[in-house]
């Protein structure tokens, strides 16, 4: 049996909103730094997935940032990039509560090791009595398959840096979520043309995004997780808000949705009825999947392809909790999930 380099009661994987929430509640429950718990985060700095968001995504365009436990987000400048503001907030949170975050630490595997779980990184191993996996989705951009081949450039939302690289180009935007809408509104004024395609007609809501709206979306995802199915993202089941910016874009002739094309051709995309849209760039705003490859050695997936949970606890491995998965892969569900996971781990470990 492999001897670990370090040992802790609890290893938290990931320092996004869910991971930091869990770390805060571990601290409150009396777990000491390092021997009691440690947070392994593969980011170069604080901020979770927010640090990678495109610079033009300013705070005022974000659905909402929920406070981390014990520290208010405050009222920062809404014209600043969300990547900067949220990263600063997360870093301040880590310092204020003296959280033992180690980075960059890229967790590659979690394995059973008798009465413990072994958490592996390329540099070191940790033996833990319990593990909280809070790895979110940003590392797993989803690119659907369509037949044919395209000679131009293809990129995912995760690769987007700004509208200027689309200037004068013919662009196809694929996806029906908020990111697809936001990026179109940036790209359309500078592009030669933008064709927006989605599998289903988008559902628009005139009311502003609210906490109740978010909870309704989380509940939809929770139902799939309870059934052992792969979770849809919270964002994917959230309707699209009709903001003043959206109304202006419609007036300007943007956001004209088309049904999904059938195949790629070197010069663009083609529908089954023969229609053709020329393209230089295809932007796939097609969402993300749960980043859980490090859990593969535990063989947790059901026949339905998901991981069955009771709250945050994995039914097939009760020493493992997922708080960056499914309904808690959002700022709405993260805080609640972190608290719930720590409460159950406390009972498991007799704390």
């Amino acid at each position: 049996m492999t001897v670990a380099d370090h040992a802790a009661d609890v290893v938290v994987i990931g320092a996004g909103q869910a991971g930091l929430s869990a770390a805060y509640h571990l601290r409150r429950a009396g777990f000491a730094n390092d021997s009691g718990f440690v947070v392994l985060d593969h980011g170069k700095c604080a901020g979770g997935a927010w640090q990678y968001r495109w610079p033009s995504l300013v705070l005022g365009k974000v659905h909402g940032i929920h406070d981390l436990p014990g520290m208010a987000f405050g009222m920062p400048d809404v014209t600043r990039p969300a990547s900067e503001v949220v990263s600063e907030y997360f870093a301040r949170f880590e310092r204020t509560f003296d959280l033992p975050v180690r980075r960059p630490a890229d967790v590659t595997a979690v394995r059973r090791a008798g009465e413990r779980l072994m958490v592996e990184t390329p540099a070191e191993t940790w033996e833990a009595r319990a593990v909280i996996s809070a790895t979110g989705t940003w590392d797993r951009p989803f690119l659907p398959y369509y037949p044919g081949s395209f000679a131009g450039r293809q990129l995912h939302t995760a690769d987007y840096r700004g509208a200027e690289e689309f200037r004068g180009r013919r662009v196809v935007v694929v996806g029906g979520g908020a990111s697809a809408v936001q990026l179109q509104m940036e790209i359309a004024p500078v592009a030669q043309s933008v064709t927006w395609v989605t599998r289903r007609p988008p559902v628009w809501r005139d009311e502003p995004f609210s906490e109740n709206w978010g909870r309704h979306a989380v509940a939809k995802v929770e139902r799939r997780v309870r059934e052992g199915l792969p979770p849809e993202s919270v964002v994917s089941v959230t309707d699209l808000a009709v903001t003043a910016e959206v109304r202006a874009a419609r007036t300007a002739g943007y956001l004209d949705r088309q049904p999904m094309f059938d195949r790629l051709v070197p010069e663009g995309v083609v529908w089954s009825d023969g229609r053709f849209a020329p393209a230089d760039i295809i932007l796939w705003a097609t969402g993300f999947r749960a980043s859980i490859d490090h859990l593969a050695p535990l063989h947790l997936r059901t026949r339905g392809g998901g991981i069955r949970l009771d709250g945050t606890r994995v039914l097939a491995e009760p020493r493992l909790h997922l708080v960056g998965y499914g309904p808690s892969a959002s700022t709405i569900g993260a805080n609640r999930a972190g608290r719930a996971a720590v409460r159950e781990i406390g009972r498991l470990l007799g704390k």
Side-chain angles (χ1 to χ4, degrees), residues 95-166:
R95 292 193 303 270
T96 299
F97 296 106
D98 187 29
L99 300 179
V101 181
R102 295 192 175 208
R103 60 169 60 92
D106 188 14
V107 173
T108 55
V110 178
R111 306 180 190 277
R112 294 182 179 90
E115 296 182 355
R116 300 288 189 268
L117 293 171
M118 189 73 73
V119 180
E120 301 175 1
T121 78
E124 59 187 8
T125 55
W126 284 81
E127 183 183 84
R129 299 172 68 192
V131 170
I132 298 174
S133 182
T135 46
T137 63
W138 187 261
D139 297 328
R140 288 286 307 278
F142 175 63
L143 290 168
Y145 169 78
Y146 280 89
S149 62
F150 176 61
R153 182 187 177 198
Q154 299 186 59
L155 72 161
H156 188 273
T157 307
D159 307 309
Y160 180 83
R161 305 312 300 162
E164 191 57 34
E165 60 187 323
F166 298 86

Side-chain angles (χ1 to χ4, degrees), residues 45-82:
C45 59
W50 287 100
Q51 66 190 283
Y52 306 114
R53 302 295 175 120
W54 51 96
S56 57
L57 180 63
V58 297
L59 195 62
K61 293 182 179 179
V62 175
H63 273 166
I65 305 295
H66 286 250
D67 293 347
L68 284 163
M71 177 182 287
F73 184 55
M75 299 181 65
D77 182 355
V78 296
T79 66
R80 291 186 61 203

Side-chain angles (χ1 to χ4, degrees), residues 17-55:
Q17 184 120 5
L20 291 181
S21 172
Y24 169 87
H25 289 291
L26 286 165
R27 161 73 73 242
R28 294 263 296 178
F31 288 85
N33 281 10
D34 297 329
S35 63
F37 77 105
V38 67
V39 183
L40 305 180
D41 183 48
H42 79 161
K44 293 181 180 179
C45 59
W50 287 100
Q51 66 190 283
Y52 306 114
R53 302 295 175 120
W54 51 96

Side-chain angles (χ1 to χ4, degrees), residues 217-234:
V218 168
K220 289 183 180 179
V221 180
E222 283 179 336
R223 284 195 292 271
R224 287 183 60 87
V225 171
R226 284 197 300 269
E227 295 168 2
L229 299 172
E232 295 176 310
S233 71
V234 172

Side-chain angles (χ1 to χ4, degrees), residues 180-198:
V181 172
Q182 290 170 356
L183 299 190
Q184 278 183 86
M185 292 190 294
E186 293 186 11
I187 293 168
V190 301
Q192 178 179 331
S193 65
V194 174
T195 303
W196 179 29
V197 297
T198 70

